[in-house]
């Protein structure tokens, strides 16, 4: 049962149809959608249950006819796709229609864990652009980092900061996405237990927190920069009222987006509403704003001393990465590859933020030996010459469970294992056995589906 107070509070909001809304919640219908990774694109990406049509507001989203076991799909672990709610993929329209994505941009995804929108944004920005994917709650940062690594890009920094820490980066970002923590009513169909946690009081608390988050991060947006605000709440207090407050208190213009009528998205006074009885997706709200005052930041040179590699170490590592211009820096023994064009920005950010991941962790150099990192196997930076062994489905699952695997290897040493041509991770082939280097913390814990 939906909270009566929620339903009555929605009366009069654009697009709200009480009967249809209650019916769709009572139906028990579940929608499953995925968004493919264009960098790892191939036909093999779509999981076994097949495709149930494209999500209309994105190039990369598909509905699935039924929900497969993603845990037991090796391509899920290879980062070929991300399981994501369809409505929230609308962020693609917000970005495409308000910013020139071909330019080098600095984008902040402020409330990023577990990383769905960050991975999507990364697929849309250019290689020379930098995405700062931030999560304030420490216990949620690891899942964000793991998902960013799995996506395989090198132009992302993962940080663990409070919104007010970004005040130090005044006028820095071209785009800031605030996918705000909210009362969550938009996901009631998917997670009926959350209904019990809903209260009017929580809506008020969320609304105050949303204002605080926006006020804290706003100085970090440069003049003419775009702020994208979204929630998965139906409550006006967390949606249009926040937009109204922004327009009264902050120097912003509300941006309108062109939406195709057949999408059935409802345009409200300041944003876009997704009602589950009208779209094939869950409840969602999104609004865009352009900052009208402020400046362009001139980046000051950094004070940070970076631990660069010596000539011999660079020679070792160059056998493992594509011949792109990257700077290699050592941090806590691990060697990270940072795109040359982004390295000054990333060093600058390291001075101001609590960075937990940057670029691509390539591995460890111990004397003249290289121990590759799992992140390198997932990354586009990996050299194409690295030997790879194909595993069948059953052996892939064993590998992902971090069990002993048997396969024919015609050489010893570090090799990739692949399923359908997609990297799953590393093995080290010794004369008498194969060591499985799949990260322990990522392994599939279940025995079978
Ligand atoms: N953007 C994510 C995605 O697409 O996968 C989902 C983000 S979720 C709606 C909101 C996030 O805000 C959560 O990860 C939560 O931990 C974080 N959060 C909670 N309190 C916050 C605060 N005071 N400031 C900033 N973020 C907060």
């Amino acid at each position: 049962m939906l909270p009566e107070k929620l339903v009555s509070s929605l009366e009069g909001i654009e697009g709200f149809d009480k009967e249809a809304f209650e019916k769709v919640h009572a139906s028990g219908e579940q929608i499953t959608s995925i968004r493919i990774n264009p960098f790892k694109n191939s036909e093999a990406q779509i999981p076994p249950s097949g495709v149930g049509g494209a999500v209309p507001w994105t190039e990369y989203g598909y509905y699935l006819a039924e929900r497969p076991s993603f845990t037991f799909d090796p391509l899920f672990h290879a980062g070929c796709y991300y399981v994501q709610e369809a409505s929230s993929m609308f962020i693609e329209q917000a970005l495409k229609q308000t910013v020139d994505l071909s330019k080098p941009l600095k984008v902040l995804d402020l409330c990023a864990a577990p990383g769905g929108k960050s991975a999507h944004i990364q697929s849309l920005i250019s290689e020379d652009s930098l995405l700062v994917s931030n999560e304030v709650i420490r216990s949620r940062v690891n899942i964000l980092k793991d998902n960013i690594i799995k996506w395989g890009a090198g132009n992302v920094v993962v940080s663990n900061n409070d919104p007010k820490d970004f005040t130090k980066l005044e006028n820095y970002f071209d785009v800031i996405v605030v996918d705000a923590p909210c009362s969550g009513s938009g996901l009631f169909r998917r997670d009926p237990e959350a209904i019990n946690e809903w209260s009017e009081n929580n809506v008020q608390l969320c609304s105050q927190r949303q204002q605080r988050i926006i006020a804290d991060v706003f100085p970090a947006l440069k003049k003419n920069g775009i702020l994208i605000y979204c929630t998965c709440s139906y409550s006006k207090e967390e949606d249009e009222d926040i937009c109204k407050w922004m327009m009264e208190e902050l120097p912003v213009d509300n941006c309108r987006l062109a939406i195709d009528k057949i999408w059935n998205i409802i345009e409200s006074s300041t944003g876009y509403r997704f009602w589950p009885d009208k779209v094939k997706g869950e409840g969602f709200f999104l609004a865009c704003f352009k900052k009208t005052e402020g400046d362009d930041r001139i980046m000051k040179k950094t004070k940070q001393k970076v631990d660069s590699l010596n000539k011999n170490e660079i020679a070792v590592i160059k056998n493992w990465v594509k011949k792109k211009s990257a700077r290699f820096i050592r941090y806590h023994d691990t060697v990270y590859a940072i795109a040359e064009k982004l390295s000054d920005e990333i060093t600058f950010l390291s001075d101001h933020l609590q960075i937990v991941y940057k670029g691509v962790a390539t591995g460890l150099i111990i004397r003249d030996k290289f121990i590759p990192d799992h992140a390198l196997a997932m990354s586009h930076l990996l050299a194409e010459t690295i030997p790879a062994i194909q595993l069948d489905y059953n052996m892939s699952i064993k590998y992902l469970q971090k069990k002993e695997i048997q396969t024919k290897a015609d050489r010893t040493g570090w090799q990739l294992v692949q399923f359908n041509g997609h990297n799953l991770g590393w093995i080290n082939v010794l004369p008498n056995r194969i060591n499985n280097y799949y990260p322990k913390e990522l392994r599939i814990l279940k025995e079978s589906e």
Side-chain angles (χ1 to χ4, degrees), residues 28-49:
E29 189 201 4
Q30 293 290 330
I31 295 165
T32 305
S33 46
I34 59 164
R35 189 173 34 70
I36 61 162
N37 185 343
F39 293 106
K40 300 190 182 189
N41 200 1
S42 88
E43 281 161 25
Q45 279 180 310
I46 310 297
S49 79

Side-chain angles (χ1 to χ4, degrees), residues 354-369:
Q354 173 76 25
I355 306 268
V356 292
Y357 190 76
K358 53 189 166 190
V360 177
T362 60
L364 297 170
I365 299 180
I366 298 173
R367 283 181 290 278
D368 59 343
K369 289 223 165 53

Side-chain angles (χ1 to χ4, degrees), residues 435-448:
N435 285 343
N436 180 341
Y437 272 80
Y438 195 64
K440 193 165 161 249
E441 60 284 6
L442 299 182
R443 75 193 189 280
I444 300 176
L445 295 168
K446 280 200 267 179
E447 269 309 305
S448 59

Side-chain angles (χ1 to χ4, degrees), residues 305-310 313 328-334:
K305 202 172 159 315
V306 290
D307 183 1
S308 305
L309 306 193
N310 65 35
E313 290 173 320
F328 297 102
I329 53 170
R330 197 183 345 246
Y331 183 69
H332 290 170
D333 292 338
T334 296

